[in-house]
Amino acid sequence: RNGDRIYRVVTEIHNENNGKTPGVPPPFTKAFRSDYTFAEKTARVVGFGGVTVSLPEEKEMKKFQEDDGVACAETPFFDIFNFPLAEGSGYHVLNEPNKALITERIARKYFGTTHAIGKKIRVDTRIDFVVAGILIDLPQNTDRRHEIYLSDYNLKDFSPWIADDKSWGGINSETHCFVLLKPGVQPEQVEKVFPSMKRKYYSDGDKNTFFFKLQPLRDIHFNPDYNGYVEKKYIWALALVALFLVTTACVNFINLATAQAVNRAKEVGIRKVLGGLKRQLFWQFIAETALITLFALLVAYGLAWLGLPWLNGLFQTKLSVNPFSSPLLIIYTLGIGLLVTFLSGSYPGLVLSGFQPIAALKGKLSQKNLGGFSLRRALVVFQFGISQLLIVGTIVIAGQMEYSRHSDLGFSKDAVAMIPVPITDSTGKGRMETLHNRIAQVPGVEKISFCSQAPAASSNNTTGIKYQGRPKEEAWDINTKLADDQYLATFGIKLVAGRNLFPSDTVREYLLNETAVKRLNVGNPADIINKQVTINGKEAMVVGVMKDFNNYSFRMEIYPQSISTGYNGYDNCAVKLNMANLSSAKASIEKIWNEVYPEYVYNFQFLDDRIANFYELDTIMLKLIKAFAGIAIFIGCLGLYGLVSFMAVQKTKEIGVRKVLGASLPNILWLFGKEFTRLLVIAFLIAAPLAWWAMHAYLQDFKFRIPMSPYIFLLAIGVSFLIAAITVGYKSIRAALANPVKSLRTE
């Protein structure tokens, strides 16, 4: 309810990088609530991903890896979003420490029943929470996937920095502020007070860096600038392709119906002689088309039902086929049925009902009576224009995906496994050393490194940097990673100057990449060696300069990067494996990990699979475009076959005369070939500029991309010619081989 009054406060970071994040500084929500009265409700919610949850009261050890994580939420959050409680006294229970709300699904998963109030769960193996309420299961069409909500009071147990009311200097992307504005309050009124908030809580430098805005609720899913799932342009693109496919099907129906009109000429003549009116005949053919369309809709729903498991797997959804689940869906189904009926049935109906009865009964119909070649040519051009457009799209997207997967990223990602490592107590360092020593003895393990993240990761930390002798921080942020001295060797990162880090438990030295050195305006990488820099408030010496590597996906440019030691930030163990011993090595590593961390859930993922997740949406788009292209080509081939069938009938006498006069088989085939060559070239000339524009816009999303080569378009038209030749070949050869005596006698 009140969706038009719900907003999320988001942040723009104005510096050289100009970033955007859905998060806000941790104290923002409390400050806004206490300083202003624009909102009816204001709530902070902080998410933590990849959390282990166990059940301390169960007889046997039960542990669960919650990939969607948990969230610490203020109670107004549930009022803003109208979370319905299945059991419990209310959301106010989260005002008390160590209380939790869980969904019915989680309750069934953990305890086998939804009646779980009073049960205990242990989060992150160290903090116990009592289940104080059961939430109705989340709907499938929600972006907020947390199913375990914890008291905001316990936020300090997960992150003292986020819980600190003085932490204005940084932003965590999972720290969200939602507001339900009072009736009549406009977002522009609220945004006008944000500058005064900055003046109150920020120093002179930072108040010109952070800019806050209100993001409407309906914008969250479709805005990738703030971690939205998909841009609307992709939805519109798919809808446009779907419209093209329906239109080509209608065009194909028109083409085939009018091509076969000669077979119904005598029927029309007899009906007219017996008193049938033109409008009666027209509506008869519309009714026939409606019947075909109705059966097509039934077949379509059947195919949708069969194909839905594949689509749900592709999109990670749980959609169902039920035309009666929504009034809008019923209206859409009826509307598309009527639209297709009239689009595809009107023209053939007009052509057939317009036959002159005498000409129809005598079989003297001309090409003009049957719709002529001009319209058929236009229809084939339209169909193959769409096909070529989709073929180019398939080639470009597939080429970009191949480029993204196999290009040099500046580091080695092959055969590197990433294993999350928990650091929760004073035994963290000792257990890491145990894990390292035991895994190192496994046959097939070549190198091991503990680190915060792989070189390229979806989650990155950025902060300011200050260079030795300069009065203030640079106007840009630097990406920071913590890693041990084996990081470079494990990932194959090269140094262009200086040396590697020495082993250390804390930040004592820095490695910078070439981009960071250039941004510091240091001409030669060797010149920065042994110079002091301050990153995230910690001053240390630069001991080496790394060759640039991609620290994000190919959509992003290479950012300034620093690496330093610090075991308390090592969230991952990277293991370089010999693939010849993969199976035995994986089993041994899992056994060792479970012995060292028995209370946690083991997780193993190859780095190249993590990197492939950067392009998950592109992979989905590619599969859909391939499917659409295949359907469009098939429909186009049907239309082409209909046209060649029509030509074969109309040119029967011409082919006979030419053969009698000595024309060879290639000469006869060229009669058909030149027609289709001309049509395909025209279709290509129309489709090529549109395809170039669409794919150029798609590639602009990538900082590292393939060029729009002419060979892409040559391949597209080559494929079209091959498909057309196969489609028309049989019918053309059969017409060319027909006995000329028989064809001339038919006249």
Side-chain angles (χ1 to χ4, degrees):
R1 296 189 298 273
N2 304 315
D4 58 333
R5 291 196 281 131
I6 299 175
Y7 293 83
R8 179 172 67 178
V9 183
V10 295
T11 308
E12 291 183 1
I13 303 171
H14 288 200
N15 52 25
E16 280 195 13
N17 299 330
N18 283 338
K20 294 181 179 180
T21 174
V24 292
F28 183 94
T29 305
K30 290 183 180 178
F32 181 79
R33 184 165 46 222
S34 62
D35 292 352
Y36 303 99
T37 58
F38 294 111
E40 201 172 284
K41 301 278 185 181
T42 305
R44 177 177 68 185
V45 57
V46 184
F48 298 95
V51 172
T52 297
V53 179
S54 55
L55 309 179
E57 295 180 329
E58 298 294 314
K59 293 181 180 179
E60 59 181 78
M61 168 71 75
K62 285 187 178 182
K63 52 186 180 178
F64 305 90
Q65 178 78 18
E66 293 299 336
D67 293 331
D68 291 323
V70 301
C72 291
E74 296 178 335
T75 53
F77 172 76
F78 301 95
D79 293 320
I80 291 173
F81 287 104
N82 313 120
F83 275 78
L85 270 173
E87 289 186 42
S89 57
Y91 312 124
H92 63 274
V93 293
L94 289 190
N95 291 327
E96 303 174 32
N98 299 91
K99 300 291 185 180
L101 298 176
I102 63 175
T103 63
E104 293 174 306
R105 190 189 74 84
I106 291 291
R108 288 190 296 269
K109 176 180 173 182
Y110 290 177
F111 307 108
T113 175
T114 59
H115 304 298
I117 290 181
K119 301 280 190 180
K120 279 188 180 180
I121 61 173
R122 181 168 293 164
V123 179
D124 214 14
T125 74
R126 58 197 173 94
I127 313 168
D128 287 352
F129 291 85
V130 176
V131 176
I134 307 296
L135 299 167
I136 296 290
D137 281 338
L138 300 177
Q140 288 304 313
N141 60 330
T142 176
D143 288 283
R144 301 208 62 84
R145 302 306 311 174
H146 299 116
E147 296 187 76
I148 301 175
Y149 287 94
L150 311 174
S151 302
D152 184 71
Y153 177 89
N154 294 98
L155 185 58
K156 64 181 184 300
D157 298 319
F158 293 95
S159 174
W161 177 77
I162 295 178
D164 190 346
D165 289 344
K166 297 179 181 177
S167 299
W168 284 93
I171 294 175
N172 176 285
S173 62
E174 290 299 321
T175 301
H176 295 171
C177 172
F178 288 96
V179 296
L180 173 65
L181 298 183
K182 291 179 178 178
V185 174
Q186 299 301 313
E188 295 80 11
Q189 296 173 251
V190 181
E191 290 179 340
K192 285 180 180 178
V193 306
F194 288 155
S196 63
M197 281 190 72
K198 291 194 298 178
R199 287 192 294 270
K200 180 176 180 179
Y201 295 105
Y202 282 108
S203 62
D204 290 341
D206 287 338
K207 70 183 180 185
N208 294 320
T209 301
F210 299 106
F211 291 81
F212 305 113
K213 296 177 63 178
L214 290 182
Q215 181 187 24
L217 183 65
R218 68 178 67 251
D219 184 61
I220 289 175
H221 184 74
F222 296 107
N223 193 334
D225 288 341
Y226 299 105
N227 296 348
Y229 181 74
V230 62
E231 286 186 78
K232 277 189 176 180
K233 68 179 183 181
Y234 288 116
I235 304 298
W236 284 113
L238 293 177
L240 190 61
V241 170
L243 178 62
F244 280 161
L245 291 180
V246 173
T247 306
T248 55
C250 294
V251 164
N252 194 52
F253 183 89
I254 293 169
N255 205 354
L256 289 172
T258 53
Q260 296 173 8
V262 69
N263 297 328
R264 302 192 65 178
K266 289 186 178 181
E267 176 196 341
V268 173
I270 291 171
R271 287 181 181 276
K272 283 200 167 186
V273 167
L274 294 176
L277 299 177
K278 183 175 181 179
R279 66 174 180 273
Q280 293 174 322
L281 291 169
F282 173 79
W283 285 109
Q284 175 196 333
F285 296 124
I286 287 291
E288 291 174 3
T289 305
L291 194 61
I292 293 171
T293 304
L294 175 62
F295 278 111
L297 277 172
L298 296 175
V299 171
Y301 269 105
L303 291 174
W305 183 80
L306 290 173
L308 203 59
W310 176 78
L311 283 173
N312 280 331
L314 184 64
F315 291 111
Q316 297 179 0
T317 56
K318 293 182 180 179
L319 300 174
S320 61
V321 175
N322 182 3
F324 305 106
S325 62
S326 165
L328 285 177
L329 191 56
I330 296 173
I331 293 170
Y332 165 79
T333 303
L334 293 174
I336 197 73
L338 291 172
L339 182 65
V340 167
T341 297
F342 281 96
L343 279 178
S344 54
S346 296
Y347 184 77
L350 289 171
V351 170
L352 289 165
S353 63
F355 287 169
Q356 294 298 319
I358 296 175
L361 289 171
K362 286 186 174 182
K364 296 290 186 179
L365 295 174
S366 65
Q367 288 185 12
K368 182 178 180 181
N369 296 129
L370 298 176
F373 273 143
S374 297
L375 176 66
R376 296 177 204 287
R377 290 187 182 112
L379 298 180
V380 169
V381 167
F382 178 78
Q383 287 177 327
F384 269 87
I386 292 172
S387 298
Q388 289 177 8
L389 183 65
L390 292 172
I391 290 170
V392 171
T394 301
I395 295 170
V396 171
I397 297 175
Q400 180 62 35
M401 290 302 95
E402 285 297 304
Y403 177 76
S404 300
R405 289 191 188 102
H406 301 298
S407 293
D408 182 16
L409 300 172
F411 63 90
S412 173
K413 62 182 175 65
D414 297 326
V416 177
M418 301 299 295
I419 306 170
V421 175
I423 305 175
T424 58
D425 52 33
S426 58
T427 65
K429 185 173 184 296
R431 289 210 274 185
M432 275 196 297
E433 289 177 350
T434 302
L435 185 69
H436 180 281
N437 294 336
R438 293 188 61 183
I439 290 179
Q441 297 172 11
V442 174
V445 172
E446 297 180 349
K447 294 182 178 65
I448 305 172
S449 173
F450 287 95
C451 56
S452 58
Q453 288 288 351
S458 57
S459 175
N460 288 274
N461 294 321
T462 58
T463 188
I465 177 172
K466 182 176 177 294
Y467 188 50
Q468 173 181 314
R470 295 181 184 173
K472 58 182 181 179
E473 286 189 347
E474 302 298 317
W476 43 271
D477 288 338
I478 189 167
N479 190 308
T480 64
K481 285 183 172 65
L482 296 174
D484 62 17
D485 59 304
Q486 296 302 307
Y487 191 78
L488 300 189
T490 302
F491 291 104
I493 298 171
K494 295 180 172 56
L495 289 173
V496 296
R499 61 168 175 83
N500 191 15
L501 299 167
F502 285 146
S504 175
D505 292 340
T506 58
V507 177
R508 299 186 62 183
E509 300 170 332
Y510 285 117
L511 298 176
L512 301 182
N513 67 348
E514 294 173 296
T515 297
V517 174
K518 290 174 186 174
R519 289 287 189 92
L520 289 169
N521 294 318
V522 177
N524 191 330
D527 295 340
I528 203 170
I529 304 301
N530 297 329
K531 297 293 193 300
Q532 298 283 93
V533 296
T534 303
I535 298 175
N536 200 24
K538 297 177 181 177
E539 185 178 17
M541 183 185 296
V542 178
V543 298
V545 177
M546 303 172 290
K547 187 175 179 60
D548 276 342
F549 57 83
N550 288 86
N551 38 21
Y552 291 96
S553 76
F554 274 11
R555 281 190 162 84
M556 311 290 284
E557 62 187 352
I558 293 177
Y559 275 69
Q561 177 72 58
S562 75
I563 296 177
S564 56
T565 52
Y567 89 91
N568 58 353
Y570 296 162
D571 300 318
N572 286 275
C573 176
V575 183
K576 179 78 170 178
L577 296 167
N578 184 328
M579 298 302 284
N581 303 92
L582 179 61
S583 297
S584 60
K586 282 180 66 177
S588 298
I589 291 171
E590 182 175 3
K591 182 174 182 293
I592 292 168
W593 198 94
N594 284 324
E595 289 173 355
V596 177
Y597 297 102
E599 69 273 39
Y600 288 94
V601 178
Y602 176 71
N603 195 353
F604 177 103
Q605 187 179 29
F606 279 109
L607 178 56
D608 51 3
D609 291 333
R610 280 194 182 186
I611 292 174
N613 290 336
F614 291 163
Y615 311 105
E616 180 182 10
L617 184 60
D618 299 278
T619 303
I620 291 172
M621 288 286 292
L622 177 59
K623 289 178 181 178
L624 289 174
I625 291 294
K626 281 181 178 178
F628 288 157
I631 295 169
I633 289 168
F634 178 71
I635 293 172
C637 289
L638 289 178
L640 202 57
Y641 187 82
L643 181 57
V644 74
S645 301
F646 181 80
M647 286 181 63
V649 171
Q650 294 298 310
K651 290 181 178 290
T652 300
K653 180 179 178 183
E654 179 184 344
I655 292 170
V657 171
R658 287 180 180 274
K659 291 190 74 172
V660 168
L661 294 176
S664 63
L665 180 63
N667 294 141
I668 301 301
L669 291 177
W670 180 239
L671 282 174
F672 297 93
K674 67 181 180 181
E675 178 72 24
F676 299 119
T677 299
R678 183 163 57 243
L679 297 181
L680 289 178
V681 169
I682 294 171
F684 175 77
L685 293 176
I686 295 171
L690 293 174
W692 183 91
W693 172 79
M695 289 301 99
H696 178 76
Y698 167 76
L699 290 174
Q700 292 309 300
D701 286 344
F702 294 85
K703 294 294 182 181
F704 300 89
R705 53 184 179 262
I706 61 172
M708 286 290 287
S709 168
Y711 295 109
I712 294 172
F713 296 92
L714 292 176
L715 180 60
I717 194 171
V719 169
S720 298
F721 271 114
L722 179 62
I723 292 168
I726 293 171
T727 302
V728 305
Y730 169 74
K731 197 72 177 178
S732 301
I733 292 172
R734 187 177 175 185
L737 292 175
N739 187 340
V741 175
K742 184 178 179 181
S743 61
L744 289 173
R745 275 180 181 171
T746 60
E747 193 64 23

